[in-house]
Amino acid sequence: MPKIDRKLIAKKTNIVQDLKKIIKEDNILYHEDETRPFETDGLSAYKQKPLAVVLPENTKEVSEILTYCNQERIKVVPRGAGTGLSGGALPLEDGLLLCLGKFNKII
């Protein structure tokens, strides 16, 4: 796993506030009980709660989220349905989990 950026974790409140300017508040999960279902994909041997989970509704929101994360140097892990057994969608404690599953109407 990559080294954790504790300074970024300390800015979580500011990051969430900035994301609320991009997507609906209901589409940002950041409380521990909300992010727990996303702490693993189909490979449940490894678990890590993400900084936040974002559920964009369209490609414009995806683009704006990625632009923001690039500017702020926030790691992003893309996730589809989370059924993979490879560990390819494991979240990072100091990163956003960008959910792009069918429920978001993007794929």
Side-chain angles (χ1 to χ4, degrees):
M1 297 297 279
K3 185 177 176 183
I4 297 170
D5 184 348
R6 299 280 175 208
K7 290 180 184 178
L8 191 66
I9 293 171
K11 295 179 4 180
K12 179 178 178 175
T13 302
N14 294 337
I15 292 168
V16 170
Q17 290 304 317
D18 290 343
L19 289 170
K20 289 178 183 178
K21 297 173 188 172
I22 299 171
I23 65 175
K24 296 177 192 171
E25 184 173 353
D26 290 345
N27 292 349
I28 306 167
L29 310 175
Y30 54 95
H31 294 292
E32 185 175 337
D33 58 330
E34 294 174 321
T35 61
R36 188 175 316 277
F38 296 91
E39 67 186 6
T40 185
D41 64 1
L43 180 66
S44 60
Y46 302 101
K47 294 182 180 185
Q48 178 65 63
K49 283 192 272 316
L51 181 71
V53 177
V54 290
L55 307 162
E57 294 182 358
N58 53 58
T59 53
K60 181 178 183 286
E61 289 180 354
V62 172
S63 178
E64 290 178 8
I65 291 165
L66 291 175
T67 298
Y68 170 76
C69 289
N70 185 50
Q71 291 169 347
E72 298 299 319
R73 313 228 359 118
I74 300 169
K75 299 171 189 134
V76 176
V77 175
R79 176 184 166 125
T83 59
L85 296 174
S86 68
L90 291 176
L92 301 170
E93 184 177 351
D94 59 348
L96 290 184
L97 192 62
L98 181 65
C99 293
L100 303 170
K102 289 182 182 180
F103 59 92
N104 297 58
K105 302 173 190 167
I106 294 178
I107 32 181

XYZ file of all heavy atoms in Angstrom:
838
model
N 0.845 -1.182 0.000
C 0.000 0.000 0.000
C 0.892 1.248 0.000
O 1.935 1.259 0.644
C -0.894 0.006 1.236
C -1.888 -1.149 1.313
S -3.112 -1.185 -0.002
C -4.283 -0.012 0.597
N 0.435 2.297 -0.675
C 1.195 3.552 -0.682
C 1.247 4.185 0.714
O 0.393 3.928 1.559
C 0.409 4.450 -1.633
C -0.544 3.574 -2.345
C -0.738 2.357 -1.521
N 2.248 5.025 0.920
C 2.383 5.746 2.180
C 1.176 6.661 2.376
O 0.721 7.322 1.443
C 3.673 6.566 2.167
C 3.965 7.257 3.464
C 5.285 8.000 3.414
C 5.481 8.750 4.713
N 6.704 9.532 4.699
N 0.648 6.694 3.595
C -0.546 7.476 3.898
C -0.161 8.934 4.160
O 0.772 9.213 4.912
C -1.282 6.893 5.118
C -1.768 5.487 4.799
C -2.439 7.780 5.545
C -2.286 4.726 5.994
N -0.888 9.850 3.536
C -0.677 11.286 3.715
C -1.586 11.772 4.844
O -2.764 12.056 4.635
C -0.980 12.013 2.408
C -0.702 13.502 2.466
O -0.489 14.042 3.576
O -0.704 14.128 1.394
N -1.052 11.852 6.043
C -1.835 12.255 7.224
C -2.321 13.698 7.121
O -3.381 14.043 7.646
C -1.009 12.081 8.499
C -0.588 10.654 8.755
C -1.698 9.864 9.367
N -1.302 8.463 9.493
C -2.150 7.471 9.480
N -3.437 7.690 9.361
N -1.733 6.234 9.587
N -1.559 14.568 6.443
C -1.978 15.968 6.278
C -3.264 16.044 5.449
O -4.131 16.857 5.713
C -0.870 16.790 5.623
C 0.324 17.000 6.515
C 1.385 17.803 5.815
C 2.616 17.934 6.690
N 3.690 18.665 6.015
N -3.359 15.181 4.456
C -4.554 15.143 3.620
C -5.755 14.656 4.431
O -6.851 15.221 4.321
C -4.322 14.248 2.407
C -5.380 14.308 1.323
C -5.386 15.680 0.671
C -5.117 13.249 0.288
N -5.557 13.656 5.258
C -6.638 13.144 6.102
C -7.132 14.248 7.044
O -8.328 14.373 7.291
C -6.181 11.891 6.873
C -5.932 10.743 5.883
C -7.211 11.482 7.916
C -5.272 9.527 6.493
N -6.229 15.069 7.537
C -6.598 16.161 8.435
C -7.451 17.215 7.727
O -8.203 17.945 8.379
C -5.345 16.809 9.013
N -7.379 17.262 6.393
C -8.164 18.235 5.618
C -9.487 17.648 5.130
O -10.151 18.235 4.284
C -7.350 18.713 4.419
C -6.119 19.493 4.797
C -5.255 19.980 3.652
C -5.704 19.744 2.261
N -4.803 20.258 1.236
N -9.894 16.515 5.665
C -11.090 15.810 5.196
C -12.327 16.715 5.161
O -13.069 16.725 4.178
C -11.357 14.593 6.074
C -12.587 13.806 5.685
C -12.737 12.590 6.577
C -13.975 11.807 6.253
N -14.053 10.562 7.038
N -12.564 17.486 6.205
C -13.736 18.365 6.257
C -13.722 19.353 5.100
O -14.747 19.564 4.443
C -13.794 19.109 7.608
O -13.826 18.141 8.650
C -15.029 19.990 7.700
N -12.572 19.944 4.824
C -12.459 20.903 3.715
C -12.666 20.220 2.367
O -13.305 20.783 1.471
C -11.086 21.590 3.737
C -10.899 22.461 4.953
O -11.865 22.909 5.566
N -9.661 22.693 5.319
N -12.133 19.021 2.236
C -12.290 18.276 0.986
C -13.762 17.973 0.740
O -14.269 18.170 -0.368
C -11.439 16.980 1.019
C -9.950 17.327 1.010
C -11.807 16.049 -0.135
C -9.034 16.160 1.318
N -14.456 17.517 1.757
C -15.886 17.207 1.619
C -16.663 18.472 1.246
O -17.532 18.441 0.366
C -16.444 16.554 2.902
C -17.959 16.470 2.854
C -15.836 15.168 3.096
N -16.344 19.593 1.883
C -17.023 20.851 1.562
C -16.783 21.239 0.099
O -17.709 21.694 -0.586
C -16.547 21.976 2.496
C -17.009 21.821 3.923
C -18.521 21.716 4.060
O -19.283 22.437 3.427
N -18.967 20.770 4.881
N -15.564 21.060 -0.386
C -15.265 21.355 -1.788
C -16.021 20.422 -2.728
O -16.525 20.855 -3.774
C -13.757 21.244 -2.047
C -12.964 22.355 -1.386
O -13.550 23.390 -0.994
O -11.725 22.181 -1.250
N -16.110 19.149 -2.363
C -16.831 18.185 -3.209
C -18.318 18.522 -3.286
O -18.959 18.288 -4.314
C -16.626 16.761 -2.685
C -15.236 16.184 -2.884
C -15.084 14.884 -2.104
C -14.940 15.966 -4.359
N -18.866 19.083 -2.219
C -20.286 19.477 -2.208
C -20.580 20.562 -3.229
O -21.721 20.758 -3.619
C -20.708 19.931 -0.815
C -20.799 18.802 0.182
C -21.176 19.325 1.566
C -21.198 18.212 2.599
N -21.515 18.715 3.945
N -19.561 21.268 -3.676
C -19.720 22.288 -4.717
C -19.764 21.654 -6.100
O -20.150 22.287 -7.069
C -18.571 23.297 -4.649
C -18.527 24.078 -3.348
C -17.278 24.928 -3.274
C -17.140 25.568 -1.897
N -15.844 26.244 -1.741
N -19.347 20.389 -6.177
C -19.274 19.682 -7.458
C -20.454 18.730 -7.646
O -21.048 18.680 -8.723
C -17.943 18.900 -7.564
C -16.752 19.866 -7.486
C -17.895 18.079 -8.850
C -15.400 19.177 -7.375
N -20.776 17.956 -6.609
C -21.870 16.990 -6.701
C -22.808 17.150 -5.510
O -22.473 17.804 -4.527
C -21.352 15.529 -6.797
C -20.630 15.094 -5.523
C -20.459 15.351 -8.008
C -20.219 13.621 -5.522
N -23.964 16.522 -5.608
C -24.955 16.585 -4.530
C -24.381 16.017 -3.237
O -23.649 15.033 -3.255
C -26.193 15.761 -4.892
C -26.960 16.250 -6.072
C -28.103 15.293 -6.349
C -28.738 15.559 -7.683
N -29.698 14.507 -8.034
N -24.754 16.625 -2.137
C -24.284 16.170 -0.825
C -24.639 14.708 -0.572
O -23.859 13.966 0.025
C -24.877 17.054 0.269
C -24.378 16.726 1.641
C -24.838 17.705 2.702
O -25.446 18.734 2.363
O -24.590 17.418 3.882
N -25.820 14.292 -1.031
C -26.249 12.902 -0.842
C -25.347 11.907 -1.571
O -25.382 10.709 -1.284
C -27.688 12.706 -1.324
C -28.695 13.402 -0.433
O -28.331 13.797 0.699
O -29.853 13.558 -0.866
N -24.565 12.388 -2.536
C -23.689 11.520 -3.325
C -22.251 11.512 -2.812
O -21.348 11.062 -3.504
C -23.713 11.931 -4.792
C -25.059 11.655 -5.429
O -25.901 10.977 -4.842
N -25.275 12.174 -6.615
N -22.070 12.021 -1.598
C -20.761 12.001 -0.952
C -20.920 11.268 0.380
O -21.683 11.688 1.243
C -20.232 13.419 -0.689
C -20.223 14.252 -1.973
C -18.832 13.361 -0.076
C -20.002 15.730 -1.729
N -20.220 10.179 0.529
C -20.269 9.396 1.762
C -18.940 9.585 2.479
O -17.885 9.302 1.905
C -20.500 7.922 1.449
C -21.668 7.609 0.504
C -21.705 6.129 0.192
C -22.975 8.072 1.097
N -18.988 10.064 3.717
C -17.736 10.324 4.411
C -17.754 9.953 5.889
O -16.715 9.919 6.535
C -17.310 11.789 4.249
C -18.355 12.792 4.649
C -18.349 13.345 5.920
C -19.347 13.186 3.762
C -19.307 14.272 6.289
C -20.297 14.109 4.121
C -20.278 14.655 5.381
O -21.229 15.570 5.739
N -18.902 9.664 6.452
C -18.959 9.198 7.829
C -18.547 7.728 7.867
O -18.799 6.979 6.919
C -20.369 9.356 8.414
C -20.784 10.784 8.557
N -20.207 11.639 9.455
C -21.713 11.510 7.894
C -20.757 12.828 9.357
N -21.673 12.777 8.405
N -17.943 7.313 8.962
C -17.418 5.951 9.079
C -18.471 4.892 8.764
O -18.209 3.930 8.040
C -16.845 5.720 10.474
C -16.175 4.380 10.605
C -15.488 4.187 11.943
O -15.158 5.181 12.595
O -15.296 3.028 12.332
N -19.683 5.065 9.268
C -20.721 4.059 9.021
C -21.151 4.033 7.558
O -21.603 3.008 7.062
C -21.928 4.285 9.942
C -22.561 5.657 9.797
O -21.835 6.620 9.470
O -23.786 5.778 10.004
N -20.996 5.148 6.837
C -21.356 5.197 5.417
C -20.275 4.566 4.539
O -20.585 3.966 3.503
C -21.548 6.648 4.959
C -22.705 7.362 5.585
C -22.753 8.828 5.195
O -21.689 9.471 5.100
O -23.868 9.335 4.990
N -19.023 4.711 4.936
C -17.927 4.205 4.103
C -17.593 2.733 4.367
O -16.936 2.098 3.550
C -16.647 5.045 4.293
O -16.225 4.976 5.654
C -16.870 6.493 3.870
N -18.062 2.206 5.490
C -17.737 0.811 5.847
C -18.089 -0.190 4.730
O -17.289 -1.083 4.438
C -18.419 0.414 7.150
C -17.960 -0.944 7.660
C -18.532 -1.291 9.021
N -18.508 -0.204 9.981
C -17.458 0.150 10.735
N -16.340 -0.516 10.622
N -17.530 1.150 11.576
N -19.245 -0.092 4.054
C -19.546 -1.067 2.998
C -18.573 -1.006 1.816
O -18.526 -1.918 1.004
C -20.951 -0.684 2.541
C -21.536 0.083 3.675
C -20.385 0.787 4.318
N -17.792 0.063 1.731
C -16.876 0.250 0.608
C -15.422 -0.046 0.972
O -14.522 0.205 0.183
C -16.990 1.694 0.090
C -18.332 2.011 -0.469
C -19.332 2.539 0.340
C -18.623 1.792 -1.807
C -20.581 2.841 -0.171
C -19.872 2.083 -2.327
C -20.852 2.599 -1.506
N -15.174 -0.583 2.170
C -13.806 -0.781 2.625
C -13.098 -1.951 1.948
O -11.906 -2.148 2.150
C -13.751 -0.930 4.150
C -14.393 -2.183 4.689
C -14.437 -2.218 6.221
O -14.072 -1.234 6.873
O -14.858 -3.254 6.742
N -13.795 -2.682 1.125
C -13.199 -3.808 0.418
C -13.975 -4.059 -0.878
O -15.077 -3.566 -1.052
C -13.211 -5.074 1.311
O -12.522 -6.114 0.641
C -14.604 -5.517 1.649
N -13.358 -4.792 -1.791
C -14.115 -5.259 -2.958
C -14.384 -6.739 -2.739
O -14.458 -7.175 -1.594
C -13.374 -4.949 -4.271
C -12.046 -5.650 -4.434
O -11.653 -6.424 -3.536
O -11.387 -5.435 -5.459
N -14.512 -7.527 -3.780
C -14.802 -8.948 -3.620
C -13.711 -9.710 -2.875
O -13.949 -10.777 -2.329
N -12.503 -9.158 -2.836
C -11.391 -9.749 -2.096
C -11.422 -9.175 -0.683
O -10.837 -8.151 -0.396
C -10.055 -9.415 -2.774
C -8.798 -9.969 -2.106
C -8.776 -11.494 -2.177
C -7.564 -9.383 -2.761
N -12.148 -9.828 0.195
C -12.392 -9.271 1.526
C -11.264 -9.506 2.523
O -11.377 -9.120 3.680
C -13.713 -9.819 2.083
O -13.648 -11.219 2.183
N -10.164 -10.094 2.074
C -9.028 -10.324 2.976
C -8.345 -9.015 3.363
O -7.720 -8.918 4.407
C -8.020 -11.255 2.325
N -8.478 -7.999 2.521
C -7.857 -6.703 2.774
C -8.948 -5.650 2.910
O -9.832 -5.554 2.063
C -6.913 -6.319 1.635
C -5.830 -7.343 1.410
C -5.929 -8.254 0.375
C -4.726 -7.396 2.257
C -4.934 -9.206 0.172
C -3.735 -8.343 2.063
C -3.844 -9.234 1.026
O -2.869 -10.170 0.836
N -8.862 -4.858 3.981
C -9.881 -3.836 4.219
C -9.221 -2.512 4.543
O -8.203 -2.466 5.225
C -10.788 -4.238 5.382
C -11.625 -5.459 5.108
C -12.533 -5.779 6.267
C -13.347 -7.023 5.920
N -14.324 -7.335 6.930
N -9.815 -1.452 4.037
C -9.338 -0.102 4.314
C -10.476 0.866 4.021
O -11.006 0.873 2.917
C -8.143 0.238 3.417
C -7.615 1.629 3.601
C -7.044 1.834 4.990
O -6.094 1.193 5.373
N -7.650 2.712 5.748
N -10.869 1.640 5.006
C -11.928 2.618 4.773
C -11.355 3.795 3.981
O -10.270 4.282 4.300
C -12.524 3.100 6.087
C -13.483 2.099 6.711
C -14.263 2.682 7.838
C -13.631 2.602 9.178
N -12.987 1.399 9.625
N -12.053 4.250 2.965
C -11.575 5.393 2.189
C -11.809 6.709 2.927
O -12.620 6.785 3.848
C -12.440 5.333 0.928
C -13.705 4.694 1.376
C -13.303 3.710 2.441
N -11.106 7.738 2.502
C -11.321 9.086 3.026
C -12.780 9.480 2.796
O -13.455 9.977 3.687
C -10.384 10.069 2.322
C -10.457 11.524 2.750
C -9.873 11.685 4.146
C -9.689 12.394 1.773
N -13.267 9.212 1.586
C -14.660 9.476 1.232
C -15.005 8.650 -0.011
O -14.125 8.222 -0.749
C -14.889 10.956 0.946
N -16.294 8.463 -0.208
C -16.810 7.776 -1.392
C -17.646 8.781 -2.160
O -18.490 9.464 -1.567
C -17.689 6.562 -0.997
C -18.275 5.896 -2.232
C -16.906 5.568 -0.159
N -17.390 8.916 -3.451
C -18.190 9.826 -4.268
C -18.945 9.023 -5.317
O -18.426 8.070 -5.889
C -17.335 10.942 -4.906
C -16.851 11.921 -3.854
C -16.157 10.394 -5.670
N -20.186 9.414 -5.526
C -21.084 8.718 -6.440
C -21.570 9.702 -7.510
O -22.693 10.205 -7.458
C -22.286 8.157 -5.662
C -21.934 7.290 -4.446
C -23.119 7.165 -3.510
C -21.446 5.936 -4.900
N -20.723 10.008 -8.482
C -21.117 10.965 -9.518
C -22.259 10.431 -10.365
O -22.400 9.217 -10.527
C -19.841 11.142 -10.343
C -19.071 9.898 -10.119
C -19.409 9.437 -8.728
N -23.068 11.346 -10.877
C -24.236 10.954 -11.678
C -24.008 11.055 -13.175
O -24.829 10.569 -13.948
C -25.440 11.814 -11.278
C -25.896 11.559 -9.859
C -27.127 12.373 -9.477
O -27.617 13.183 -10.297
O -27.609 12.190 -8.345
N -22.949 11.720 -13.592
C -22.706 11.873 -15.025
C -21.217 12.121 -15.272
O -20.438 12.314 -14.339
C -23.555 13.020 -15.604
C -23.364 14.313 -14.836
O -22.242 14.809 -14.722
N -24.444 14.859 -14.293
N -20.835 12.120 -16.541
C -19.417 12.258 -16.885
C -18.878 13.646 -16.550
O -17.690 13.788 -16.251
C -19.168 11.948 -18.366
O -20.034 12.747 -19.168
C -19.427 10.485 -18.667
N -19.715 14.666 -16.578
C -19.279 16.017 -16.208
C -18.828 16.035 -14.749
O -17.778 16.609 -14.419
C -20.402 17.027 -16.426
C -20.031 18.464 -16.094
C -21.204 19.408 -16.392
C -20.843 20.856 -16.147
N -20.756 21.219 -14.751
N -19.585 15.401 -13.876
C -19.209 15.334 -12.471
C -17.914 14.544 -12.283
O -17.060 14.933 -11.487
C -20.335 14.734 -11.629
C -21.527 15.645 -11.485
C -22.652 15.062 -10.656
O -22.588 13.874 -10.261
O -23.611 15.796 -10.401
N -17.769 13.450 -13.023
C -16.534 12.663 -12.942
C -15.353 13.542 -13.323
O -14.338 13.583 -12.625
C -16.590 11.415 -13.859
C -15.236 10.726 -13.925
C -17.660 10.450 -13.397
N -15.480 14.271 -14.409
C -14.411 15.137 -14.881
C -14.060 16.209 -13.848
O -12.879 16.464 -13.570
C -14.824 15.800 -16.200
O -13.823 16.685 -16.644
N -15.075 16.825 -13.256
C -14.833 17.874 -12.268
C -14.204 17.318 -10.989
O -13.330 17.950 -10.386
C -16.127 18.617 -11.959
C -16.596 19.475 -13.115
C -17.914 20.185 -12.856
O -18.420 20.144 -11.715
O -18.439 20.796 -13.796
N -14.624 16.137 -10.586
C -14.032 15.489 -9.402
C -12.560 15.178 -9.663
O -11.703 15.459 -8.828
C -14.803 14.205 -9.027
C -16.196 14.555 -8.491
C -14.021 13.375 -8.004
C -17.149 13.374 -8.434
N -12.270 14.606 -10.818
C -10.883 14.268 -11.141
C -10.007 15.509 -11.280
O -8.846 15.512 -10.849
C -10.825 13.420 -12.414
C -11.397 12.010 -12.280
C -11.404 11.305 -13.632
C -10.635 11.202 -11.246
N -10.548 16.571 -11.837
C -9.809 17.838 -11.931
C -9.485 18.365 -10.539
O -8.346 18.749 -10.250
C -10.615 18.881 -12.734
O -10.803 18.390 -14.062
C -9.896 20.218 -12.783
N -10.483 18.358 -9.661
C -10.282 18.810 -8.286
C -9.228 17.957 -7.578
O -8.307 18.490 -6.943
C -11.609 18.778 -7.519
C -11.433 18.995 -6.038
C -11.171 20.258 -5.529
C -11.513 17.930 -5.141
C -10.983 20.456 -4.172
C -11.329 18.114 -3.787
C -11.062 19.378 -3.310
O -10.875 19.578 -1.963
N -9.338 16.649 -7.692
C -8.390 15.752 -7.026
C -6.979 15.948 -7.562
O -6.008 15.902 -6.800
C -8.831 14.304 -7.172
S -10.286 13.908 -6.178
N -6.848 16.181 -8.847
C -5.535 16.437 -9.427
C -4.941 17.732 -8.857
O -3.776 17.764 -8.459
C -5.636 16.511 -10.953
C -4.282 16.667 -11.606
O -3.352 15.928 -11.312
N -4.174 17.650 -12.477
N -5.744 18.767 -8.783
C -5.272 20.055 -8.248
C -4.855 19.944 -6.781
O -3.877 20.555 -6.358
C -6.359 21.120 -8.380
C -6.640 21.535 -9.794
C -7.896 22.393 -9.909
O -8.695 22.498 -8.999
N -8.055 23.012 -11.074
N -5.604 19.160 -6.020
C -5.350 19.031 -4.583
C -4.444 17.843 -4.231
O -4.200 17.596 -3.061
C -6.685 18.900 -3.834
C -7.588 20.113 -3.977
C -6.985 21.382 -3.431
O -6.354 21.327 -2.348
O -7.121 22.436 -4.081
N -3.999 17.119 -5.256
C -3.117 15.958 -5.075
C -3.754 14.883 -4.189
O -3.137 14.322 -3.295
C -1.759 16.388 -4.543
C -1.186 17.559 -5.298
C 0.193 17.585 -5.780
N 1.076 16.497 -5.540
C 1.614 15.774 -6.518
N 1.295 15.999 -7.757
N 2.464 14.820 -6.239
N -5.033 14.610 -4.468
C -5.786 13.585 -3.748
C -5.804 12.322 -4.597
O -6.143 12.366 -5.783
C -7.236 14.060 -3.466
C -7.214 15.335 -2.629
C -8.045 12.958 -2.791
C -8.576 16.026 -2.526
N -5.464 11.204 -3.989
C -5.485 9.927 -4.695
C -6.930 9.531 -4.983
O -7.828 9.799 -4.191
C -4.815 8.848 -3.848
C -3.366 9.125 -3.546
C -2.843 8.128 -2.537
C -1.462 8.547 -2.085
N -1.303 8.472 -0.654
N -7.139 8.860 -6.123
C -8.469 8.403 -6.527
C -8.379 6.931 -6.902
O -7.484 6.522 -7.645
C -8.993 9.216 -7.736
C -10.332 8.674 -8.207
C -9.094 10.694 -7.396
N -9.318 6.153 -6.385
C -9.434 4.749 -6.760
C -10.784 4.585 -7.454
O -11.828 4.802 -6.841
C -9.353 3.816 -5.534
C -9.596 2.368 -5.939
C -8.010 3.954 -4.839
N -10.792 4.236 -8.752
C -12.065 3.992 -9.433
C -12.633 2.642 -9.022
O -11.889 1.698 -8.774
C -11.686 4.016 -10.916
C -10.244 3.639 -10.942
C -9.647 4.095 -9.638
N -13.941 2.569 -8.963
C -14.609 1.322 -8.561
C -15.864 1.142 -9.401
O -16.641 2.063 -9.578
C -14.972 1.394 -7.081
C -15.761 0.192 -6.583
C -16.153 0.410 -5.136
N -17.160 -0.530 -4.703
C -17.040 -1.328 -3.654
N -15.946 -1.288 -2.927
N -17.999 -2.138 -3.317
N -16.045 -0.079 -9.866
C -17.273 -0.421 -10.569
C -18.265 -0.957 -9.553
O -18.638 -0.271 -8.609
N -18.620 -2.212 -9.683
C -19.576 -2.820 -8.756
C -18.914 -3.358 -7.487
O -19.590 -3.707 -6.538
C -20.337 -3.940 -9.459
N -17.579 -3.444 -7.477
C -16.862 -3.942 -6.299
C -16.894 -5.444 -6.144
O -16.667 -5.963 -5.064
N -17.175 -6.155 -7.240
C -17.278 -7.610 -7.159
C -15.968 -8.314 -7.485
O -15.881 -9.526 -7.368
C -18.355 -8.129 -8.130
O -18.007 -7.734 -9.457
C -19.718 -7.598 -7.758
N -14.952 -7.560 -7.887
C -13.682 -8.159 -8.289
C -12.973 -8.874 -7.155
O -13.039 -8.464 -6.005
N -12.268 -9.929 -7.495
C -11.521 -10.701 -6.512
C -10.026 -10.411 -6.582
O -9.237 -11.060 -5.918
C -11.778 -12.196 -6.705
C -13.214 -12.644 -6.460
C -13.380 -14.111 -6.815
C -13.607 -12.408 -5.018
N -9.642 -9.429 -7.365
C -8.222 -9.141 -7.544
C -7.700 -8.101 -6.576
O -6.496 -7.896 -6.483
C -7.985 -8.645 -8.974
O -8.603 -7.372 -9.138
N -8.562 -7.412 -5.879
C -8.128 -6.333 -5.002
C -7.865 -5.052 -5.769
O -7.249 -4.128 -5.257
N -8.352 -4.976 -6.985
C -8.108 -3.812 -7.845
C -8.852 -2.561 -7.450
O -8.518 -1.474 -7.906
N -9.857 -2.671 -6.607
C -10.632 -1.496 -6.197
C -10.502 -1.251 -4.695
O -11.411 -0.729 -4.071
C -12.099 -1.676 -6.588
N -9.356 -1.620 -4.131
C -9.161 -1.396 -2.705
C -9.018 0.092 -2.433
O -8.193 0.759 -3.048
C -7.920 -2.133 -2.202
C -8.022 -3.649 -2.172
C -6.689 -4.244 -1.746
C -9.120 -4.111 -1.238
N -9.797 0.629 -1.525
C -9.720 2.063 -1.227
C -8.442 2.407 -0.460
O -7.784 1.534 0.098
C -10.956 2.316 -0.365
C -11.287 1.005 0.228
C -10.822 -0.040 -0.748
N -8.147 3.696 -0.437
C -7.007 4.207 0.304
C -7.512 5.125 1.402
O -8.449 5.890 1.194
C -6.076 4.985 -0.633
C -5.515 4.186 -1.815
C -4.809 5.117 -2.786
C -4.584 3.108 -1.318
N -6.876 5.057 2.557
C -7.298 5.870 3.697
C -7.223 7.364 3.388
O -8.010 8.153 3.895
C -6.409 5.549 4.899
C -6.805 6.252 6.171
C -5.945 5.860 7.350
O -5.147 4.922 7.249
O -6.082 6.518 8.396
N -6.300 7.752 2.514
C -6.136 9.155 2.165
C -6.573 9.437 0.727
O -6.073 10.340 0.074
C -4.689 9.591 2.375
C -3.700 8.783 1.540
O -4.087 7.744 0.970
O -2.527 9.195 1.464
N -7.537 8.656 0.240
C -7.994 8.829 -1.134
C -9.498 8.713 -1.272
O -10.191 8.205 -0.390
N -9.984 9.200 -2.400
C -11.408 9.089 -2.716
C -11.667 7.786 -3.448
O -10.866 7.359 -4.277
C -11.852 10.226 -3.637
C -11.919 11.624 -3.074
C -12.467 12.577 -4.129
C -12.763 11.680 -1.833
N -12.783 7.187 -3.155
C -13.252 6.028 -3.901
C -14.310 6.560 -4.867
O -15.345 7.072 -4.443
C -13.840 4.983 -2.957
C -14.116 3.610 -3.564
C -12.825 2.967 -4.064
C -14.778 2.705 -2.547
N -14.013 6.503 -6.146
C -14.880 7.045 -7.187
C -15.711 5.903 -7.759
O -15.212 5.078 -8.522
C -14.028 7.695 -8.282
C -14.739 8.339 -9.446
C -15.552 9.541 -8.993
C -13.731 8.750 -10.507
N -16.967 5.829 -7.347
C -17.843 4.720 -7.746
C -18.494 5.031 -9.084
O -19.208 6.025 -9.223
C -18.892 4.465 -6.684
S -18.189 3.836 -5.169
N -18.265 4.152 -10.045
C -18.770 4.343 -11.400
C -19.657 3.189 -11.840
O -19.723 2.872 -13.012
C -17.579 4.479 -12.376
C -16.595 5.598 -12.044
C -15.360 5.485 -12.891
C -17.262 6.938 -12.211
N -20.342 2.573 -10.908
C -21.179 1.425 -11.216
C -22.456 1.791 -11.934
O -22.799 2.954 -12.118
N -23.197 0.780 -12.323
C -24.458 0.971 -13.047
C -25.453 1.816 -12.271
O -26.252 2.539 -12.854
C -25.094 -0.389 -13.362
C -24.352 -1.159 -14.406
C -25.078 -2.457 -14.693
C -24.317 -3.262 -15.705
N -24.982 -4.524 -15.999
N -25.417 1.721 -10.937
C -26.359 2.498 -10.138
C -26.136 3.994 -10.293
O -26.990 4.783 -9.982
C -26.301 2.102 -8.674
C -24.946 2.279 -8.027
C -24.632 3.446 -7.382
C -24.020 1.259 -8.085
C -23.390 3.608 -6.795
C -22.781 1.405 -7.491
C -22.460 2.592 -6.860
N -24.977 4.389 -10.796
C -24.685 5.801 -11.022
C -25.065 6.233 -12.438
O -24.910 7.392 -12.780
C -23.193 6.093 -10.848
C -22.731 5.825 -9.441
O -22.870 4.717 -8.976
N -22.209 6.819 -8.786
N -25.501 5.307 -13.270
C -25.919 5.580 -14.640
C -24.760 6.038 -15.544
O -24.974 6.688 -16.524
C -27.051 6.610 -14.687
C -28.276 6.193 -13.898
C -29.284 7.315 -13.856
C -30.383 6.954 -12.871
N -31.220 8.063 -12.527
N -23.520 5.735 -15.143
C -22.381 6.149 -15.945
C -21.915 5.024 -16.847
O -21.584 5.230 -17.990
C -21.233 6.679 -15.055
C -21.697 7.964 -14.378
C -19.972 6.943 -15.867
C -20.723 8.573 -13.441
N -21.889 3.771 -16.325
C -21.547 2.634 -17.176
C -22.708 1.688 -17.262
O -23.634 1.749 -16.559
C -20.290 1.860 -16.705
C -20.087 1.850 -15.221
C -19.098 2.283 -17.420
C -18.862 1.110 -14.752
